[in-house]
Amino acid sequence: MQTTFTAEQLRDPDTAESNRILRTCVHCGFCTATCPTFLLLGDELDSPRGRIYLIKDMLENDRPATPEVVKHVDRCLSCLSCMTTCPSGVNYMHLVDHARRHIEETYQRPPAERALRRLLSALLPYPGRFRLALRGAVFGRHLSRFVPGTSMPAQRLRAMFRLAPGSVPPASAMDRPGVHRAEGHRRGRVALLTGCAQKVLAPSINEATIRLLTRMGLDVVVTRDQGCCGALDHHMGHHDPAMRLARANIGAWTAELDGEGLDAIVVNASGCGTTVKDYGFMFRTQPDADKAARISALAMDITEVLQKFDYAPCRPRPDLTVAYHSACSLQHGQKITTAPKELLKRAGFAVKEPAEGHICCGSAGTYNLMQPEIAGQLRDRKLANLDRTRADLIAAGNIGCLTQLAGGAMPTVHTVELLDWMAGGPEPGAVATARSARATA
């Protein structure tokens, strides 16, 4: 693709990178075949190729974002399926992230939308605030059906109540700063990103991760100054808050790395993992670029760590079939496609994959709150494909997907909880639910 950025524009590192990405695109349109929004809406501007044209025009002419550009960029899930499909290697992720930052800096959103975005930015990355908000939402979720109208604010309010859990689990002591010592001979030392929303919604995921890794001979460090990875703000175009959160993590993990050392930084929420692995790019022009690059190089999804340290089950094979949902951030963002399925099979589960496994479930960070109608259609489509597998339960490696798919015909569970159970940990609640459903079927 030809571009016409001026020499002055190209002095900006972000513009120079977007120019390089744009010039990689050859207009082939392969990306349209795997784009969820194009699949649903059939509008070229709701495909990666269409959005690329809109972004190119906006950035080249250095103009404020228009309502049309905002509408179509906001509809992008950042599922990155287009990057898996693209034969030319177009880094759409970095391009759309730049566009979102430009939108936030140049476009005045309606007051209600600005308020919602600020609210999400102020709540979701901070577990204490998020827990308090969810406790209030537990009561509000029963009132969601009484929210009138078809306006976007009304749809978003109903989505917020629908996604709220029926109860809020207590905070886990295992998420507190400290070191969980390896059992037996120590084979390594890792840090765990305990996250933000996940530790509130499902503390059992971190608990299973820590139990499993310590039984495998790894010290697991929960650093004091870590927090949200920054992804939620980053994908809303909130550049400075995202960088502040990421910088805190980089500092916390660098101190451990320079102290007793680390063999890996373990991430068990794939949406977070994609962002942490991108810290090197995000900080490439910052004074702490070298530190960020070191952290990105150490970041590993939990399934990568389990393969590296030779996960082995110890329980008899369960008579259970798992429908594996591959989170977009894992299969498209991190290119991890076989490890989770291989580990589940090694643990003794029968594993099935749904049709259209490459298509997003509609979670996508805050997307299911900001674009509830499209997200709902994608959720229904995904659940229908999962149901056709006739499995007992759904396993996935991302809390956003698990939350989005909850409430369907099959219970949902994080992959690591199943693997921990089969290696000596407690039985996940989803397993008991699945067996009960099978008994009454």
Side-chain angles (χ1 to χ4, degrees):
M1 178 180 289
Q2 291 185 335
T3 58
T4 58
F5 290 99
T6 66
E8 179 65 26
Q9 287 176 305
L10 293 175
R11 289 192 182 97
D12 174 65
D14 291 325
T15 302
E17 178 63 18
S18 290
N19 176 60
R20 187 195 65 78
I21 295 168
L22 288 166
R23 292 175 70 87
T24 306
C25 179
V26 296
H27 320 265
C28 67
F30 284 9
C31 56
T32 62
T34 59
C35 175
T37 50
F38 183 72
L39 186 68
L40 291 182
L41 304 173
D43 187 336
E44 174 78 9
L45 295 180
D46 285 314
S47 74
R49 183 170 62 180
R51 293 186 182 105
I52 285 172
Y53 281 117
L54 292 173
I55 294 168
K56 175 181 180 292
D57 180 66
M58 177 178 68
L59 296 179
E60 266 187 343
N61 291 287
D62 198 20
R63 64 163 62 108
T66 64
E68 181 184 41
V69 171
V70 174
K71 178 178 73 172
H72 295 294
V73 172
D74 280 357
R75 284 179 177 174
C76 173
L77 294 125
S78 280
C79 70
L80 309 182
S81 181
C82 55
M83 289 179 58
T84 296
T85 310
C86 179
S88 302
V90 175
N91 195 317
Y92 179 82
M93 178 175 76
H94 291 158
L95 181 65
V96 78
D97 284 343
H98 183 198
R100 286 181 171 136
R101 179 181 177 185
H102 185 84
I103 287 170
E104 290 307 302
E105 292 173 349
T106 64
Y107 182 73
Q108 184 81 339
R109 294 181 182 275
E113 186 166 346
R114 289 203 308 272
L116 177 56
R117 285 172 171 265
R118 288 170 183 165
L119 179 66
L120 295 175
S121 182
L123 290 180
L124 292 179
Y126 305 97
R129 302 176 195 174
F130 186 43
R131 185 174 286 108
L132 286 174
L134 282 182
R135 286 173 179 162
V138 165
F139 299 101
R141 71 196 300 261
H142 301 294
L143 304 176
S144 63
R145 63 182 180 275
F146 299 114
V147 176
T150 58
S151 67
M152 186 60 80
Q155 290 182 45
R156 287 169 175 164
L157 187 57
R158 286 194 291 268
M160 291 176 71
F161 285 137
R162 183 188 70 79
L163 289 166
S167 61
V168 183
S172 173
M174 296 177 77
D175 282 328
R176 295 172 185 165
V179 180
H180 301 270
R181 297 296 179 185
E183 296 182 11
H185 174 68
R186 196 184 89 161
R187 304 171 63 200
R189 189 173 191 268
V190 300
L192 174 65
L193 173 64
T194 54
C196 49
Q198 177 176 277
K199 68 194 294 184
V200 176
L201 293 167
S204 58
I205 296 172
N206 284 343
E207 292 173 346
T209 301
I210 292 169
R211 284 193 305 264
L212 181 54
L213 293 178
T214 53
R215 283 200 307 272
M216 292 175 65
L218 301 176
D219 280 352
V220 180
V221 183
V222 177
T223 55
R224 181 170 301 280
D225 296 322
Q226 69 161 299
C228 173
C229 68
L232 294 170
D233 275 306
H234 185 60
H235 295 309
M236 286 194 286
H238 299 164
H239 176 74
D240 291 343
M243 295 292 278
R244 183 176 65 252
L245 291 166
R247 186 171 279 111
N249 290 335
I250 291 167
W253 292 327
T254 298
E256 289 294 333
L257 188 57
D258 293 341
E260 293 188 47
L262 293 171
D263 295 293
I265 296 166
V266 183
V267 188
N268 56 18
S270 61
C272 302
T274 301
T275 296
V276 176
K277 289 182 177 183
D278 203 42
Y279 279 179
F281 176 83
M282 292 167 60
F283 283 83
R284 68 195 185 284
T285 62
Q286 302 294 310
D288 38 7
D290 290 343
K291 291 180 181 179
R294 289 174 71 198
I295 296 305
S296 287
L298 274 176
M300 301 177 73
D301 182 71
I302 179 60
T303 57
E304 293 179 294
V305 177
L306 295 178
Q307 282 204 322
K308 178 180 178 179
F309 287 94
D310 300 320
Y311 166 82
C314 64
R315 294 188 189 276
R317 296 172 66 89
D319 181 24
L320 288 170
T321 300
V322 173
Y324 174 68
H325 165 68
S326 185
C328 296
S329 46
L330 200 58
Q331 63 170 317
H332 304 309
Q334 300 182 51
K335 307 303 180 189
I336 298 173
T337 57
T338 60
K341 293 177 288 187
E342 289 176 354
L343 288 165
L344 287 168
K345 291 174 182 177
R346 190 184 306 174
F349 296 97
V351 179
K352 291 188 176 181
E353 297 178 70
E356 297 185 328
H358 60 288
I359 297 295
C360 185
C361 69
S363 172
T366 59
Y367 191 92
N368 50 6
L369 298 175
M370 302 305 298
Q371 301 286 337
E373 183 176 2
I374 297 173
Q377 292 178 45
L378 290 171
R379 176 182 184 268
D380 292 345
R381 189 181 187 116
K382 179 64 68 174
L383 283 174
N385 282 323
L386 287 164
D387 288 346
R388 291 188 190 102
T389 66
R390 303 177 66 84
D392 297 301
L393 69 169
I394 300 166
N398 189 52
I399 184 62
C401 302
L402 294 171
T403 303
Q404 176 77 344
L405 298 174
M410 288 185 283
T412 59
V413 63
H414 196 288
T415 307
V416 78
E417 294 182 88
L418 292 176
L419 298 176
D420 171 55
W421 171 46
M422 295 308 295
E427 179 182 278
V431 171
T433 302
R435 284 178 170 160
S436 176
R438 180 196 283 183
T440 56

